[in-house]
Amino acid sequence: MKRFLILAASLFAATTIFAQTQVIAHRGYHAKEGSAHNTISSLKNAQDLGTYGSECDVNETADGVLVVIHGPKHGKYNVQQTDFATLRAQALANGETLPTLDEYLAQAKKNTATKLIIEIKNHPTPEQEARVVKNVLAAVKKYKLRKDVEYIGFSRYVCDQLVKNGPKGTKVAYLNGNLTPEQCKERGYTGIDYNIGVMKKHPEWIKQCHDLGLTVNVWTVNDTDNLKWCIDNGVDYITTDNPVEANRLLGK
Ligand code: MG
């Protein structure tokens, strides 16, 4: 009996540790002084802070270069309609250079304890989205980061292409909030990544996801009350501009 109780207690402890909410720095830990959204320094800051993940946004320029920037604009230019050299000549808000996906992956490779969460942005045609997915997967493979990268997207087509073309075990979470957990499971996605407003309307989706083996990520959660709501309701990942506060609430 005593042995059984010890076993039960350790299993419970393991489950509790496994179930603890993890923190993903939205566009990197950009709030740290001197940094900016989607910069190499914001990724490095997240790695130094030790967050579970660091999110970034990927767009394809008019001449086919994958760059890390939210878009749609960089200064006065539309990122997807402008060539790389023109975009690169414009400094980012903190003076850093607009990073390519390759440069971002090189930084990710320096500390794989923090996963890189790649958001592939919507592009105008299915052909273009398919090409972007193919090229992102190839770049991640080149850096041997397949186990250290997870993917998110608003476009169902992008997510479907990731499921279809990614190696076995590729993690894909859908962002747009308009599919039920069952529908995401049917499409082969491994999780949902929904806005906090959507999740508060559908808190039942958290348990439904877990019963289906899907993960639950919530964006972009910055204030203390909503961070607490996510932790109390057992979401797996919080995507936040405020990773330091999220860590504090988690006792990290
Ligand atoms: Mg994003």
Side-chain angles (χ1 to χ4, degrees):
M1 184 64 185
K2 194 178 164 196
R3 278 176 67 181
F4 170 77
L5 285 175
I6 290 167
L7 179 69
S10 48
L11 275 175
F12 178 75
T15 312
T16 308
I17 289 161
F18 180 72
Q20 195 186 30
T21 305
Q22 304 273 2
V23 177
I24 295 171
H26 181 237
R27 306 180 193 174
Y29 175 22
H30 56 80
K32 191 167 176 185
E33 197 177 343
S35 192
H37 294 189
N38 282 312
T39 54
I40 297 286
S41 69
S42 73
L43 171 55
K44 186 173 183 304
N45 292 341
Q47 291 169 327
D48 292 347
L49 189 62
T51 56
Y52 169 85
S54 186
E55 189 258 3
C56 69
D57 303 292
V58 171
N59 279 279
E60 187 191 58
T61 65
D63 51 345
V65 179
L66 295 172
V67 290
V68 176
I69 188 168
H70 186 273
K73 303 272 269 192
H74 176 37
K76 63 181 176 179
Y77 301 103
N78 180 298
V79 174
Q80 295 182 6
Q81 294 167 11
T82 307
D83 65 273
F84 174 66
T86 303
L87 295 167
R88 182 86 148 181
Q90 318 295 313
L92 297 166
N94 68 338
E96 274 185 73
T97 306
L98 170 71
T100 62
L101 176 62
D102 254 58
E103 290 164 345
Y104 227 73
L105 291 170
Q107 179 62 41
K109 188 79 183 170
K110 290 180 185 170
N111 182 352
T112 54
T114 294
K115 300 212 182 283
L116 187 62
I117 314 299
I118 296 181
E119 179 184 345
I120 299 182
K121 284 295 181 189
N122 293 15
H123 288 73
T125 66
E127 292 73 23
Q128 197 178 350
E129 288 192 335
R131 182 177 68 233
V132 171
V133 166
K134 188 173 122 267
N135 290 340
V136 170
L137 287 169
V140 169
K141 186 180 177 189
K142 186 176 82 180
Y143 280 87
K144 298 189 170 60
L145 284 168
R146 295 201 292 195
K147 291 195 172 68
D148 307 302
V149 169
E150 300 176 13
Y151 301 91
I152 56 177
F154 279 96
S155 158
R156 287 183 216 185
Y157 191 75
V158 161
C159 291
D160 292 347
Q161 289 295 305
L162 284 162
V163 170
K164 192 173 150 205
N165 298 302
K168 195 169 178 284
T170 298
K171 291 186 178 165
V172 181
Y174 179 63
L175 288 164
N176 209 26
N178 57 349
L179 291 177
T180 64
E182 289 82 3
Q183 289 170 322
C184 288
K185 180 76 179 180
E186 276 165 24
R187 298 178 90 96
Y189 306 162
T190 59
I192 63 170
D193 186 353
Y194 287 171
N195 180 271
I196 178 71
V198 172
M199 290 314 296
K200 283 183 140 178
K201 271 187 210 144
H202 291 285
E204 74 281 7
W205 283 356
I206 298 170
K207 183 174 186 306
Q208 285 177 22
C209 278
H210 290 159
D211 289 346
L212 290 164
L214 299 178
T215 55
V216 178
N217 189 342
V218 184
W219 59 270
T220 303
V221 190
N222 293 333
D223 66 88
T224 301
D225 284 351
N226 281 331
L227 288 166
K228 276 188 185 154
W229 186 91
C230 289
I231 295 164
D232 292 345
N233 283 278
V235 313
D236 303 293
Y237 308 106
I238 297 171
T239 300
T240 178
D241 291 308
N242 202 353
V244 172
E245 174 67 356
N247 274 351
R248 187 186 71 81
L249 292 169
L250 286 160
K252 288 184 182 171

